[in-house]
Amino acid sequence: MKSSHPIRWGIIGCGNVTEVKSGPAYQQTAGFTLHAVMRRDAAKAADYARRHQVPLWFSDADELIQHPEIDAVYIATPPDSHLFYALKVAAAGKICCVEKPMALDETECAQMLLAFEQAGQPLFVAYYRRSLPRFIQVQQWLQQGLIGAVRHVHWAFSRQPNIADQSGQANWRTDPAQAGGGYFVDLASHGLDLLMYLLGDITQVQGIALNQQGLYAAEDAVTACWLFAPQQDGSTASGSGFWNFAADTRRDEVEIIGSLGTIRFSVFDEKPLVLTTATNSISLHIDHPAHIQQYHVANIAKQLVGEGEHPSTGYTAQRATAVMAQILGSNRS
């Protein structure tokens, strides 16, 4: 896709995630410009535009989507509105990136995919860890066969309940109607998607979900086990994980166990990557960029000019939504 001018992006939902994590990335990526923002609260939309030097602001999403100076739209709203806005962007024939998780369920994901297929426009999803250098390094270690064939993966994640949830404050992230689940869907989606990027599709999965605290409607304790698609040598790696939001302390630890060694890292924390084999041990610290979605957005730009394929599309993101639904499904019947 060649353009005589920078691709002009508009953001729907200029909330906290866009302040540092994503908005500046669209401004700083070569070939892109952040041209408009939208928020239902007009005063907040105007304030964001003023602080970030964005030319246009709106309180109506349709005005942004249909504006002739907007070429692409980044949807940064809660998941319950992703389908609604994405279908409008597709109907307008414009490029789209949507925040994760992609939608409330796999059916909504399929509707979005079909709409963009028919529009002939790409749909990206902000699983930006697929583009981060620290996880590209893990991928390289795996591809180099440094730990041999992968046997098992375990992810342990826990944290204490936060003050807002303990006080009963409204929070869309713990409202299944808005988020599709709770913190598991909001946070574990990142890691499950990342593991499928590193190790292949999850083909079988089972889970147990509980609400141990009773602070909100969504589950706050989830355990799962799964199988990956067969590896090149024909063997099948297994996986397991737990995510608890009512625990005594924070932990975020992934261990990939191979036939020749192990790799340890954190999904969210900037801890060193640790590679251990019988003959060697490497501890490598790779910083996140100042704007965490910088590499993700740069990879969108590369695809749009024909310099490669983005690692996080609607097709890959739909799988993360499907796996989470399978983990939670039996507990919601």
Side-chain angles (χ1 to χ4, degrees):
M1 175 180 177
K2 301 293 183 182
S3 176
S4 59
H5 58 76
I7 294 174
R8 298 162 295 188
W9 284 83
I11 297 178
I12 296 176
C14 49
N16 288 340
V17 73
T18 68
E19 289 284 350
V20 176
K21 289 184 176 182
S22 59
Y26 286 90
Q27 293 177 303
Q28 296 175 17
T29 295
F32 284 178
T33 182
L34 180 54
H35 199 65
V37 294
M38 173 271 166
R39 195 165 181 174
R40 285 178 294 180
D41 186 318
K44 290 182 177 179
D47 176 65
Y48 186 102
R50 176 186 57 80
R51 288 185 293 104
H52 293 276
Q53 294 80 52
V54 179
L56 303 175
W57 62 267
F58 303 93
S59 59
D60 185 311
D62 286 331
E63 290 185 29
L64 182 149
I65 293 168
Q66 297 299 330
H67 198 283
E69 294 177 11
I70 296 301
D71 308 304
V73 179
Y74 164 42
I75 300 169
T77 58
D80 65 325
S81 59
H82 288 181
L83 173 66
F84 177 76
Y85 289 128
L87 293 182
K88 288 177 177 287
V89 175
K94 298 185 177 182
I95 301 158
C96 187
C97 180
V98 65
E99 262 302 326
K100 45 68 32 198
M102 182 176 171
L104 289 180
D105 55 46
E106 195 175 0
T107 299
E108 289 192 355
C109 293
Q111 289 179 260
M112 292 163 67
L113 286 170
L114 178 60
F116 281 91
E117 286 174 5
Q118 293 175 338
Q121 291 289 1
L123 173 61
F124 306 98
V125 181
Y127 282 116
Y128 55 82
R129 281 173 172 77
R130 288 176 173 241
S131 295
L132 285 175
R134 62 185 279 109
F135 301 118
I136 299 301
Q137 180 63 68
V138 173
Q139 183 187 56
Q140 291 173 353
W141 283 343
L142 291 167
Q143 290 175 344
Q144 291 165 4
L146 299 185
I147 66 166
V150 175
R151 300 307 190 203
H152 185 77
V153 179
H154 182 69
W155 181 19
F157 182 91
S158 67
R159 75 178 191 196
Q160 295 175 315
N162 63 44
I163 294 173
D165 291 333
Q166 289 176 316
S167 67
Q169 293 181 26
N171 182 355
W172 67 261
R173 287 181 173 82
T174 56
D175 178 1
Q178 286 188 274
Y183 291 121
F184 169 75
V185 169
D186 186 45
L187 297 177
S189 58
H190 270 297
L192 290 168
D193 176 80
L194 175 63
L195 290 176
M196 285 192 283
Y197 176 59
L198 295 174
L199 300 167
D201 194 17
I202 291 175
T203 58
Q204 297 181 45
V205 61
Q206 295 180 320
I208 298 171
L210 305 170
N211 189 324
Q212 294 180 327
Q213 302 172 96
L215 295 178
Y216 38 75
E219 47 282 309
D220 59 16
V222 179
T223 301
C225 59
W226 59 86
L227 296 177
F228 292 98
Q231 301 172 84
Q232 288 186 346
D233 67 353
S235 66
T236 299
S238 57
S240 62
F242 76 84
W243 305 266
N244 193 292
F245 302 92
D248 66 319
T249 189
R250 179 181 175 85
R251 55 178 62 83
D252 177 12
E253 302 161 351
V254 175
E255 183 176 34
I256 304 177
I257 302 168
S259 59
L260 300 176
T262 63
I263 298 172
R264 295 182 179 87
F265 60 88
S266 169
V267 173
F268 297 103
D269 300 332
E270 288 186 86
K271 296 178 180 177
L273 312 173
V274 179
L275 169 68
T276 304
T277 68
T279 60
N280 195 18
S281 181
I282 298 172
S283 180
L284 186 60
H285 185 89
I286 301 176
D287 290 327
H288 287 319
H291 309 294
I292 197 73
Q293 293 198 24
Q294 190 73 58
Y295 291 95
H296 160 76
V297 176
N299 280 337
I300 294 177
K302 289 179 181 178
Q303 176 170 324
L304 294 179
V305 296
E307 295 180 0
E309 295 185 7
H310 199 283
S312 181
T313 67
Y315 299 101
T316 62
Q318 183 184 36
R319 283 300 303 146
T321 294
V323 166
M324 290 187 295
Q326 289 176 279
I327 290 172
L328 298 175
S330 61
N331 302 279
R332 293 177 169 178
S333 58

